[in-house]
Amino acid sequence: MSRRVVRQSKFRHVFGQAAKADQTYEDIRVSKVTWDSSFCAVNPKFLAIIVEAGGGGAFIVLPLAKTGRVDKNYPLVTGHTAPVLDIDWCPHNDNVIASASDDTTIMVWQIPDYTPVRNITEPIITLEGHSKRVGILSWHPTARNVLLSAGGDNVIIIWNVGTGEVLLSLDDMHPDVIHSVCWNSNGSLLATTCKDKTLRIINPRKGQVVAERFAAHEGMRPMRAVFTRQGHIFTTGFTRMSQRELGLWDPNNFEEPVALQEMDTSNGVLLPFYDPDSSIIYLCGKGDSSIRYFEITDEPPFVHYLNTFSSKEPQRGMGFMPKRGLEVSKCEIARFYKLHERKCEPIIMTVPRKSDLFQDDLYPDTPGPEAALEAEEWLSGQDAEPILISLRDGYVPPKHRELRVTKRNILDARPPSGPRRSQSASDSPLSQQHTLETLLEEIKALRERVQAQEQRITALENMLCELVDGTD
């Protein structure tokens, strides 16, 4: 009788644990909008959650330490005129967050370290370029101020947030609604999924689809895709019989999947959260009450089931803490922020270890808060891997972090005193937005309008003179 050899892995015993009641965030009216985003974004300083808001869209930003019951009058971030659909923290500045909305705009906000007295209503900049709702946001992993947005107009726009300019617009790649977009580790490629059932690998700077696979999952329900550290693509989707399915693909050979596994029958789209340091993928289904996690390795069957964290309540959304926000002294390798109908509950994933010493096999150097490139360098064709930091002594987020101001960067320009309108791409300073030609055209148009007004004034004066003469 042959003995079954158990696969060796330091992550075989990872277990999940919900935070105690006093560590949760209570009385938050989580958004009821029907949209397949995570509704939650978290970093080492703040927790942001899309909430219900009358007459527009809003989200709440809480310092991580502000657990317990949230006051019903706690200030919100409000500025959108329709529901907020996605939010994403800037990876290079823990005080900057972007929001996308049904109102077709993207707004970028600077969040103060202190608790504001009233709602935050003035974004640093409003980005206008989509003709329909904007449902997907993703910051570039290594280039400063580069933000990607994808809209219901089937267009992907890559912005320089520091100037409000469109760097790239990918408007003829997708014939239907875009379901997900993901950068690879250095931000040179995108993986996208679309309602046309095609998985695409795109080089955004060349505007080329470098590889594609039709029907990576044969079902009609939405697919999701993320890059792994090996350069493979991990996907979640549905079979033709509406069973949920996961897949692993090599972009250099899209003919056959590296791995394909059926899971269960459920309607909820599986949101994948990938940790490149441990190569663990966590799958959270909207409406599910569990988180399943798998380890991706180079050995068959390549995607190894580890365990499932189960609870009683279904999840409305999920936030995923970056590695630098974890407690290394407790061997914490992941932390989720699970959204319920009226609260947010942290869920901690731990590898049990007896020693209290720093476990360097669990915590390789991880991406830190410094950008490796400027937006212009990335656009010109440069690539750089993330700048890594050690977590040996823990990570202390800096106080209110000002971005390094480049010549045209308005992210950190202090607003003038008194009220001001938010700057959109169409009304930011002339020096940033207008070329010489457009300036000359505007001057010419203004002169023509002034001339027409002068002619009108002359005609009215003549009519007045005639009327006065007539009364005499």
Side-chain angles (χ1 to χ4, degrees), residues 268-336:
V269 174
L270 283 168
L271 305 177
F273 296 94
Y274 178 66
D275 173 20
D277 295 347
S278 60
S279 208
I280 294 178
I281 192 109
Y282 301 88
L283 302 183
C284 309
K286 271 202 152 183
D288 287 12
S289 52
S290 62
I291 302 172
R292 270 169 280 209
Y293 40 108
F294 301 78
E295 186 178 0
I296 299 173
T297 71
D298 298 326
E299 304 162 12
F302 305 107
V303 181
H304 306 269
Y305 172 75
L306 290 173
N307 211 334
T308 300
F309 167 81
S310 296
S311 57
K312 292 175 184 172
E313 298 287 326
Q315 55 230 16
R316 298 279 294 275
M318 196 69 80
F320 186 51
M321 176 66 81
K323 211 51 171 280
R324 56 196 169 90
L326 303 180
E327 289 197 42
V328 295
S329 60
K330 295 180 179 174
C331 295
E332 182 184 10
I333 63 160
R335 191 188 312 152
F336 290 90

Side-chain angles (χ1 to χ4, degrees), residues 386-398:
I387 296 173
L388 304 180
I389 58 171
S390 169
L391 297 178
R392 180 173 291 276
D393 302 317
Y395 172 76
V396 179

Side-chain angles (χ1 to χ4, degrees), residues 30-32 37-39 286-287 314-318 339-341:
V30 177
S31 174
K32 294 185 172 69
S37 77
S38 58
F39 284 13
K286 271 202 152 183
Q315 55 230 16
R316 298 279 294 275
M318 196 69 80
L339 299 187
H340 299 246
E341 199 171 330

Side-chain angles (χ1 to χ4, degrees), residues 159-309:
W159 308 83
N160 180 347
V161 169
T163 62
E165 294 170 314
V166 173
L167 296 178
L168 299 163
S169 182
L170 310 175
D171 48 13
D172 54 358
M173 304 263 174
H174 301 89
D176 214 326
V177 176
I178 299 161
H179 285 149
S180 75
V181 183
C182 175
W183 297 96
N184 66 347
S185 64
N186 68 2
S188 60
L189 296 173
L190 298 171
T192 71
T193 62
C194 177
K195 196 176 178 181
D196 69 352
K197 293 173 41 171
T198 303
L199 167 64
R200 294 174 175 84
I201 311 301
I202 295 170
N203 182 326
R205 288 170 297 195
K206 290 185 177 175
Q208 290 177 348
V209 177
V210 294
E212 60 183 356
R213 163 73 200 216
F214 176 70
H217 299 281
E218 294 185 342
M220 289 304 297
R221 302 268 301 134
M223 263 196 298
R224 288 283 187 278
V226 292
F227 277 98
T228 71
R229 70 179 183 201
Q230 295 91 349
H232 289 162
I233 311 290
F234 181 91
T235 58
T236 65
F238 293 80
T239 66
R240 199 171 288 165
M241 304 302 290
S242 291
Q243 276 202 298
R244 293 198 291 198
E245 191 173 47
L246 59 84
L248 189 66
W249 307 84
D250 180 353
N252 299 316
N253 178 19
F254 259 152
E255 293 304 310
E256 289 295 320
V258 177
L260 199 64
Q261 295 180 24
E262 286 185 14
M263 292 177 63
D264 58 9
T265 305
S266 176
N267 285 332
V269 174
L270 283 168
L271 305 177
F273 296 94
Y274 178 66
D275 173 20
D277 295 347
S278 60
S279 208
I280 294 178
I281 192 109
Y282 301 88
L283 302 183
C284 309
K286 271 202 152 183
D288 287 12
S289 52
S290 62
I291 302 172
R292 270 169 280 209
Y293 40 108
F294 301 78
E295 186 178 0
I296 299 173
T297 71
D298 298 326
E299 304 162 12
F302 305 107
V303 181
H304 306 269
Y305 172 75
L306 290 173
N307 211 334
T308 300
F309 167 81

Side-chain angles (χ1 to χ4, degrees), residues 449-463:
R449 278 157 62 189
V450 167
Q451 206 172 353
Q453 296 289 354
E454 284 174 346
Q455 288 171 355
R456 175 81 176 139
I457 289 166
T458 305
L460 288 169
E461 283 174 341
N462 290 340
M463 285 171 65

